[in-house]
């Protein structure tokens, strides 16, 4: 490995800032990927990576992505919760990469939840 230049360090710092913003920063939307053991076994890591790639592809800076444990619906995994500012959270279940991309496009980017993949709105109303 060669010597690092100031420009190299600045590039590394910028990449780290982007990741911190995605995982911890403030934003108009929050994506929570349920990554308990059951979620990971069902493909939650692929769903997380799909959303990270969509955020990067669309150069979005106001969306937070985070993870949490099992929500108690192991047979519905992989599962996410989407929260947009001023709206009730929406839980999506049995996701695939294609479903995740559609949810990102319609719910995150356009503000319209995808009813056919949604399981619940808020914490008590089941669709």
């Amino acid at each position: 490995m060669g010597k690092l230049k100031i420009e190299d360090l600045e590039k590394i710092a910028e990449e780290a800032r982007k990741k911190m913003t995605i995982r911890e920063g403030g934003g108009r939307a929050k994506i929570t990927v349920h990554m308990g053991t059951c979620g990971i076994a069902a493909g939650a890591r692929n769903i997380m990576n799909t959303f990270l790639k969509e955020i990067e592809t669309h150069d979005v800076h106001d969306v937070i992505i985070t993870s949490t444990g099992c929500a108690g619906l192991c047979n519905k995994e992989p599962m996410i919760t989407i929260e947009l500012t001023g709206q009730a959270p929406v839980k999506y279940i049995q996701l695939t990469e294609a479903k995740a991309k559609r949810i990102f496009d319609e719910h995150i980017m356009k503000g319209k939840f995808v009813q056919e993949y949604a399981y619940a709105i808020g914490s008590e109303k089941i669709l």
Side-chain angles (χ1 to χ4, degrees):
M1 181 174 179
K3 271 179 128 177
L4 290 176
K5 299 175 186 171
I6 295 295
E7 297 82 29
D8 297 329
L9 295 173
E10 289 173 352
K11 186 176 176 182
I12 292 169
E14 181 60 30
E15 288 175 11
R17 273 192 291 274
K18 280 184 183 177
K19 288 180 183 174
M20 293 292 287
T21 299
I22 290 171
R23 290 189 176 265
E24 298 175 5
R28 66 174 173 78
K30 180 179 176 184
I31 304 167
T32 303
V33 182
H34 297 263
M35 295 186 72
T37 305
C38 54
I40 292 170
R45 286 192 198 281
N46 289 339
I47 300 303
M48 171 74 87
N49 289 335
T50 299
F51 280 110
L52 289 170
K53 188 173 179 180
E54 290 297 305
I55 289 169
E56 186 176 338
T57 300
H58 290 84
D59 196 27
V60 175
H61 300 281
D62 58 354
V63 174
I64 302 164
I65 187 161
T66 186
S67 64
T68 188
C70 178
L73 301 168
C74 302
N75 65 336
K76 305 290 186 197
E77 297 285 355
M79 185 166 62
I80 61 168
T81 302
I82 302 284
E83 298 172 72
L84 297 183
T85 302
Q87 296 183 13
V90 178
K91 286 192 180 355
Y92 291 101
I93 58 171
Q94 298 173 327
L95 296 177
T96 63
E97 291 177 29
K99 289 178 180 178
K101 286 180 182 179
R102 182 171 169 203
I103 290 166
F104 187 87
D105 181 55
E106 293 184 23
H107 196 158
I108 299 295
M109 298 302 287
K110 298 175 183 166
K112 294 175 56 180
F113 79 94
V114 183
Q115 186 161 358
E116 66 190 274
Y117 305 150
Y119 182 71
I121 296 177
S123 57
E124 303 195 18
K125 183 178 178 186
I126 296 184
L127 298 175

